[in-house]
Amino acid sequence: MSFELSLNTGTTPHLSLEQAAEAVAASGLKHIGPWRHLLEQGGGAEKAAGIIAGAGLTTTTLCRGGFLTPADPEGRRAALESNRAAIREAATIGTAELIMVVGGLPAAAHLLGARSSAAEQNAADKDIIGARGRVAEGIAELVPYAAEHGVRLVLEPLHPMYAADRAVLSTLGEALDLAAPHPAETVGVVVDTFHVWWDPQLREMIARAGAEHRIASYQVCDFNLPLAADALKSRGMMGDGYVDFPSISRWVAEAGYTGPVEVEIFNQQINDQDAATTLETMKQRYAQLVLPALREGDQHLDAQVR
Amino acid sequence: MSFELSLNTGTTPHLSLEQAAEAVAASGLKHIGPWRHLLEQGGGAEKAAGIIAGAGLTTTTLCRGGFLTPADPEGRRAALESNRAAIREAATIGTAELIMVVGGLPAAAHLLGARSSAAEQNAADKDIIGARGRVAEGIAELVPYAAEHGVRLVLEPLHPMYAADRAVLSTLGEALDLAAPHPAETVGVVVDTFHVWWDPQLREMIARAGAEHRIASYQVCDFNLPLAADALKSRGMMGDGYVDFPSISRWVAEAGYTGPVEVEIFNQQINDQDAATTLETMKQRYAQLVLPALREGDQHLDAQVR
């Protein structure tokens, strides 16, 4: 089956993996995309694999590796080690798709809880081109290990409002350029509507991603205004914000993507509410705003291919 | 003289035009970039021209025209009329450069105080491609009037976090594409560091803007984190945030820009403080982080041309 809905556990942060898997199964969905900390809290990746399989679900992605921008050797070594662990965990829980949030500027490290010093505020730490170079190096270093484990590094362009503190990778075009030196089965990209809806090159870059066989995941949620006090929580339920879901979904299907569609919403109100309510609303909005356009794009592609 | 500093009055919102002009002159600067509402509050553009000249200053830009995205005929007519008035005002106060903030999605109009209805929330109002098309049409309609008045429409790409509610124009490349059908002396672009610092195509697009003779203004301020509760006020004094001023300033000068450099900072703390303090800090940070790189880029360009 094409275009099946999946719950990213970022949408239900108060649930354990077991609770999330139960809620997903109870709602009639068949897929889940867990965050790594849930694996750790639940006793490791093997146990997590059992929980997911036991609920009759498959795993669509693992969130997340990345954070490859540290400039110091120790930070770099720790980042690579954490990513190798994430690659093993993805293989163990049975997904090929490891979502990669590449990391921000070293100057912003203190915002994420790392230790900070006056020196971290100097000009070198604001060198975004240098930081992007370190991401490219880190990906190159991880590719053989990912390939050995049958895991794909899925580059996630984040909205430019997070370029300083979360990801110096801001557009789908930049993600495709970064992926280009590597095989499509080992480095892919994710299209997350919240992050890319505004991009004037979006349609063209989704088509390119499809032609290059790089689309590893399609994630949907809305862009809400006003921005939340915690900017990370400005994501909304599909239909509540400003994203043109029918257009973007049609482009993704026309690019040949037929895989699962994940819903990942960081939003205080949605995160606090009952998971069953969230899942019900997700299903309704998906059926209304996303799925018809995916099917339309898929038929359009079929018609062209025939 | 090249690269002279200018105060955009958005930085000192509590001052009248007369007070701002006095503060600028007292600080030893020679340029000011006023917002339109100060002209109106001060008794019109002719009186404003007298105030600015009386303080011994020149006008670097007028902020702002734009908001060309309404879909309804009445909203469209009102937008064009307001822009024609802005063109006349720019000519009257003696600047060729009218900054254009092109407007957001119709679905976001209620956030900006316009009347709202359920119908405004429909899918058509989230059609960002359609909104961009209306911007292109509006610019085409205004170009002859601007040319008659010797005024340049200066397209401002805004940070993608404002794509829904302020400007569907999000990158310098998109601004240059939008400008392309029109003469460079009538449609230009502004490079505002806050809005474009994250763009992976920035260096290439600044070079293109220079080659196409479109750089009409260089505006500097920093990108601060965390984002302010009012996202518009997340701009910071140069050096306080994450922008790599030396790199971007060098690129701007290498692209051949030698004009004034405006400081436009919306930031509650800076906006509330004494204007003399703000102007003093501006001058120091500019001398430290921006001007040396502008001069370096300018010399590099000179060496290439010779």
Side-chain angles (χ1 to χ4, degrees):
Chain A
M1 283 293 292
S2 295
F3 308 129
E4 291 191 341
L5 203 51
S6 175
L7 177 77
N8 181 292
T9 65
T11 310
T12 53
H14 55 296
L15 300 188
S16 68
L17 182 60
E18 196 150 16
Q19 292 168 328
E22 273 170 26
V24 170
S27 80
L29 299 185
K30 297 179 190 138
H31 309 284
I32 192 165
W35 277 61
R36 288 182 71 193
H37 63 90
L38 291 193
L39 274 50
E40 196 182 345
Q41 286 164 12
E46 277 195 51
K47 206 162 163 191
I51 291 170
I52 292 169
L57 307 181
T58 70
T59 308
T60 47
T61 66
L62 178 65
C63 276
R64 61 194 184 179
F67 293 94
L68 291 167
T69 49
D72 60 303
E74 191 181 336
R76 227 164 147 57
R77 202 161 32 236
L80 290 170
E81 195 176 309
S82 168
N83 277 284
R84 289 195 192 95
I87 288 166
R88 293 191 300 273
E89 288 166 22
T92 303
I93 61 163
T95 179
E97 317 297 357
L98 175 62
I99 304 291
M100 304 285 285
V101 173
V102 302
L105 296 174
H110 65 286
L111 289 171
L112 297 174
R115 71 183 184 285
S116 169
S117 72
E120 282 183 338
Q121 292 293 339
N122 71 24
D125 287 343
K126 298 178 186 176
D127 174 12
I128 193 165
I129 292 177
R132 287 174 177 149
R134 293 193 296 280
V135 171
E137 288 168 17
I139 295 294
E141 198 152 339
L142 292 169
V143 157
Y145 195 81
E148 270 171 42
H149 288 77
V151 167
R152 174 153 57 179
L153 306 172
V154 181
L155 304 175
E156 179 159 17
L158 256 57
H159 193 287
M161 82 172 98
Y162 308 123
D165 62 343
R166 297 268 159 185
V168 292
L169 180 57
S170 304
T171 64
L172 195 54
E174 193 188 357
L176 290 168
D177 289 346
L178 187 55
H182 309 291
E185 61 272 22
T186 310
V187 183
V189 299
V190 45
V191 177
D192 180 315
T193 52
F194 177 88
H195 293 308
V196 300
W197 71 275
W198 58 271
D199 185 351
Q201 299 177 318
L202 185 58
R203 182 176 192 166
E204 183 189 342
M205 289 302 129
I206 288 175
R208 177 183 158 196
E212 297 177 0
H213 307 289
R214 302 273 182 193
I215 306 180
S217 176
Y218 180 40
Q219 298 188 340
V220 293
C221 79
D222 218 328
F223 183 94
N224 281 7
L225 283 181
L227 295 175
D230 175 354
L232 282 179
K233 297 193 174 170
S234 300
R235 298 167 75 109
M237 185 60 75
M238 298 81 78
D240 286 354
Y242 297 92
V243 171
D244 177 358
F245 287 101
S247 294
I248 299 175
S249 300
R250 202 176 60 245
W251 301 339
V252 166
E254 284 174 353
Y257 185 76
T258 57
V261 180
E262 259 186 46
V263 176
E264 183 184 36
I265 306 177
F266 313 134
N267 172 302
Q268 202 62 55
Q269 190 200 323
I270 292 171
N271 295 163
D272 287 347
Q273 81 191 1
D274 178 61
T277 306
T278 300
L279 281 152
E280 204 44 51
T281 311
M282 258 172 65
K283 285 163 60 182
Q284 285 170 8
R285 299 292 180 88
Y286 179 71
Q288 182 188 349
L289 292 169
V290 181
L291 185 58
L294 285 169
R295 289 193 172 137
E296 192 189 311
D298 190 45
Q299 283 163 7
H300 184 234
L301 179 65
D302 268 0
Q304 285 184 313
V305 170
R306 269 185 232 123
Chain B
M1 283 293 292
S2 295
F3 307 129
E4 290 191 341
L5 202 52
S6 175
L7 176 78
N8 181 292
T9 64
T11 311
T12 53
H14 54 297
L15 301 187
S16 68
L17 182 60
E18 195 150 17
Q19 291 168 328
E22 273 170 25
V24 170
S27 80
L29 299 185
K30 295 179 191 140
H31 309 283
I32 193 165
W35 278 60
R36 287 183 71 192
H37 62 90
L38 291 193
L39 274 49
E40 196 182 344
Q41 286 164 13
E46 277 197 49
K47 206 161 162 191
I51 291 169
I52 293 168
L57 307 180
T58 69
T59 308
T60 47
T61 65
L62 177 64
C63 275
R64 65 197 179 179
F67 294 93
L68 291 166
T69 49
D72 60 303
E74 190 180 339
R76 223 162 153 59
R77 204 164 27 237
L80 291 170
E81 193 175 313
S82 168
N83 276 284
R84 289 195 192 96
I87 288 167
R88 294 191 298 271
E89 288 166 21
T92 303
I93 61 162
T95 179
E97 316 298 355
L98 175 63
I99 304 292
M100 303 285 286
V101 172
V102 303
L105 296 173
H110 64 287
L111 289 169
L112 297 173
R115 72 182 184 283
S116 169
S117 73
E120 282 183 339
Q121 293 292 341
N122 71 23
D125 287 343
K126 298 179 186 176
D127 173 11
I128 193 166
I129 293 176
R132 287 174 176 147
R134 293 193 296 279
V135 171
E137 288 168 14
I139 296 293
E141 197 153 341
L142 291 169
V143 157
Y145 195 81
E148 270 172 40
H149 289 79
V151 167
R152 174 153 58 178
L153 305 173
V154 181
L155 304 175
E156 179 159 17
L158 255 57
H159 193 287
M161 81 172 98
Y162 309 124
D165 62 343
R166 296 268 160 187
V168 292
L169 180 57
S170 303
T171 65
L172 196 52
E174 192 188 359
L176 290 168
D177 289 346
L178 187 55
H182 308 291
E185 62 271 22
T186 310
V187 182
V189 299
V190 46
V191 177
D192 180 314
T193 53
F194 177 89
H195 294 306
V196 300
W197 71 274
W198 59 271
D199 184 353
Q201 299 177 320
L202 185 59
R203 183 176 191 166
E204 184 189 342
M205 288 303 130
I206 287 175
R208 177 183 160 198
E212 296 178 359
H213 307 289
R214 302 272 183 193
I215 307 180
S217 177
Y218 180 41
Q219 298 188 339
V220 294
C221 79
D222 218 327
F223 183 93
N224 281 8
L225 285 180
L227 295 175
D230 174 355
L232 281 179
K233 297 193 173 169
S234 299
R235 300 168 73 109
M237 185 60 75
M238 297 81 80
D240 287 354
Y242 297 92
V243 171
D244 177 357
F245 287 101
S247 295
I248 300 176
S249 300
R250 203 176 59 247
W251 301 339
V252 166
E254 283 175 355
Y257 184 76
T258 57
V261 180
E262 258 185 49
V263 175
E264 183 185 35
I265 306 177
F266 313 134
N267 171 302
Q268 201 61 57
Q269 191 199 325
I270 292 171
N271 294 165
D272 287 346
Q273 80 191 0
D274 179 62
T277 305
T278 300
L279 281 153
E280 202 47 49
T281 312
M282 259 172 64
K283 285 162 62 180
Q284 285 171 8
R285 300 291 181 87
Y286 180 72
Q288 183 189 348
L289 294 169
V290 181
L291 185 57
L294 285 169
R295 287 194 173 136
E296 194 189 311
D298 191 45
Q299 283 163 8
H300 184 235
L301 180 66
D302 268 1
Q304 286 184 312
V305 171
R306 267 186 235 120

